[in-house]
Amino acid sequence: MLLRKIKHSLYFALVKVLVAFAPSVSYLAFAGPGSSRQLGEHILRGGQRRLLVVTDKPLRDLGIADKAVEALVAGGAELAWYDGVQPNPTFTQVDEGIAALKAHRADAVLAVGGGSSIDAAKVIAAGGCSDEDPRDWVGFGKVKHDVMPIYVIPTTAGTGSEATMGAVISDTETKQKGVLSGKGLHPAAVGLDSDLMLGMPPAITAATGMDALTHAIEAYISTWDRGTRTEYSRRAIRMIFDHLRTAYDDGTNREARDGMAMAAYYAGIAINQVNVGNVHAIAHQIGGKYGIPHGLANALVLPHVLEFCRDEAEEKLAELAVLVGAADAGQPRAQQADAFIAAVRELRAAVHIPETTAEVKAADFDYLVDLAVTEASGYFAPRLLDPASTRAILGKIAA
């Protein structure tokens, strides 16, 4: 425990964290209390003076968004605001943001908020540099043009979008979520400022924390062994098990908030290298169809997908059980794997996330299954998602 605390202190002793995501590509993160101010000063040093701030109205009303940009205001930056982002952002909101960006003649975009604001900001920044319809960019690697600098100040600890080159945007007509990606969508720099997370409600803390855990686990059990995904996913999982309960029970605990902010970021680094998996393939569909927040959707699905791929991922699940203290190193591997899945269920229960939801309807299973299986076919999960198993998982989460 002492060694773990020492390691935790070292994470935050370095305010500037430079992390390599892929060969020859690196991005800058400022970490710890007050890092939003350091990010603002960094932006000004880089010469960007006209920024569009993308956020949601509640964060503006609470004063959190304005606090995040204090350094920019003090430094004379000219800010315009788009605060129309909603949970599960839509292309309509992206279009509105692009119009605001062009009207302001912005030279950079700053996202302040959770994953919805970050994802919207990425596509808005891309739209400001192109006359193409962002709807045509749905798919992997279709954002190929240069994008203006994107900066991010997360106010939740979960999505990891601050560390990825992807975004998820919903289509209001089809009620489907589209994944957009491209190297230009990766933020140039981020500020992981726990000061802005201290007042996060417990329910959001829980859902976003389980979102980060899903990212880290899916990256760890991925069959695509690439880059530093193992190191960062293990680090994220350990930190989430260490800090999520405390952050949920005591939202003013700065150490827990710092730990969760870094965990979400590390999990984002991991999925940026190997992508997500079957949990997301299902969660994206129930989020798009019913408007279920993404973190909650992942939390509902996660234990069932781990059961589904338990045999194929047994070795890695067993390793994670030892990592989080759910099993001893000397136990049989099968017992260790089962212990980790049980630990995930226990953590979910500890932060009061329900096992089922009345939102998911059996009448929609055919539609949801088809989309989930299609999406999952593009991931490197340890077991290929099939229609029967997907239907069974949906049945387990439907109240």
Side-chain angles (χ1 to χ4, degrees):
M1 181 61 71
L2 177 59
L3 179 59
R4 189 177 301 155
K5 287 184 177 180
I6 292 173
K7 288 181 178 179
H8 181 278
S9 297
L10 290 175
Y11 291 148
F12 303 109
L14 298 176
V15 176
K16 292 184 179 180
V17 182
L18 190 60
V19 181
F21 294 87
S24 77
V25 181
S26 61
Y27 304 92
L28 184 65
F30 297 89
S35 55
S36 58
R37 174 169 291 277
Q38 293 168 325
L39 174 63
E41 293 168 350
H42 169 76
I43 293 170
L44 293 170
R45 287 195 298 271
Q48 280 89 39
R49 296 280 169 172
R50 299 182 64 85
L51 287 90
L52 177 71
V53 184
V54 178
T55 187
D56 60 64
K57 195 171 187 304
L59 284 180
R60 288 210 75 187
D61 290 344
L62 290 170
I64 295 174
D66 287 297
K67 181 178 179 181
V69 300
E70 286 176 348
L72 288 168
V73 173
E78 297 181 54
L79 305 181
W81 292 79
Y82 176 69
D83 61 4
V85 179
Q86 300 287 328
N88 297 316
T90 67
F91 283 107
T92 299
Q93 292 161 29
V94 167
D95 292 340
E96 293 170 353
I98 293 172
L101 181 143
K102 290 182 176 179
H104 185 55
R105 303 190 312 280
D107 52 24
V109 173
L110 171 64
V112 179
S116 295
S117 293
I118 299 170
D119 283 4
K122 290 179 177 182
V123 186
I124 289 168
C129 302
S130 171
D131 292 328
E132 297 175 5
D133 188 335
R135 294 160 184 79
D136 295 334
W137 299 332
V138 173
F140 293 101
K142 291 189 177 181
V143 181
K144 298 179 180 180
H145 60 276
D146 291 336
V147 177
M148 68 179 58
I150 303 164
Y151 300 100
V152 176
I153 300 174
T155 58
T156 64
T159 113
S161 186
E162 66 272 16
T164 74
M165 59 182 68
V168 180
I169 306 296
S170 295
D171 190 315
T172 53
E173 294 185 5
T174 64
K175 294 189 180 298
Q176 294 181 21
K177 289 190 171 188
V179 178
L180 298 80
S181 70
K183 185 176 176 181
L185 297 186
H186 200 294
V190 306
L192 305 172
D193 193 342
S194 58
D195 281 348
L196 303 178
M197 302 180 187
L198 294 177
M200 193 192 315
I204 296 178
T205 298
T208 54
M210 291 300 296
D211 189 18
L213 181 63
T214 302
H215 296 156
I217 293 174
E218 290 202 300
Y220 192 74
I221 66 175
S222 171
T223 60
W224 190 9
D225 189 8
R226 177 174 182 262
T228 58
R229 59 99 184 191
T230 296
E231 172 189 352
Y232 283 104
S233 56
R234 284 178 63 88
R235 189 177 295 181
I237 292 165
R238 176 68 268 178
M239 295 177 80
I240 292 166
F241 271 87
D242 280 349
H243 297 297
L244 180 55
R245 285 180 177 87
T246 303
Y248 177 83
D249 292 334
D250 178 10
T252 64
N253 187 300
R254 193 179 300 278
E255 179 180 346
R257 290 298 191 193
D258 280 336
M260 287 305 301
M262 291 304 299
Y265 184 62
Y266 290 152
I269 294 174
I271 61 171
N272 195 53
Q273 297 177 79
V274 298
N275 216 325
V276 288
N278 290 335
V279 178
H280 279 72
I282 299 174
H284 281 158
Q285 314 321 319
I286 64 175
K289 178 67 174 177
Y290 308 111
I292 298 172
H294 179 63
L296 176 57
N298 275 341
L300 288 165
V301 176
L302 176 59
H304 302 297
V305 167
L306 295 182
E307 292 283 2
F308 166 72
C309 67
R310 182 219 169 282
D311 293 344
E312 293 79 5
E314 181 181 87
E315 181 177 358
K316 291 181 179 179
L317 293 175
E319 292 168 354
L320 294 178
V322 176
L323 175 71
V324 303
D328 296 328
Q331 289 181 263
R333 193 166 71 182
Q335 291 183 15
Q336 293 171 333
D338 290 339
F340 181 70
I341 297 173
V344 170
R345 291 183 183 277
E346 291 168 5
L347 180 59
R348 185 179 68 173
V351 294
H352 297 91
I353 289 180
E355 297 182 5
T356 61
T357 175
E359 298 290 332
V360 177
K361 307 296 184 184
D364 299 324
F365 280 10
D366 287 345
Y367 167 83
L368 297 170
V369 166
D370 182 61
L371 291 175
V373 171
T374 299
E375 180 175 328
S377 67
Y379 295 143
F380 295 87
R383 180 181 174 187
L384 189 65
L385 201 61
D386 62 85
S389 299
T390 305
R391 181 178 293 273
I393 291 171
L394 289 170
K396 291 176 181 178
I397 67 172

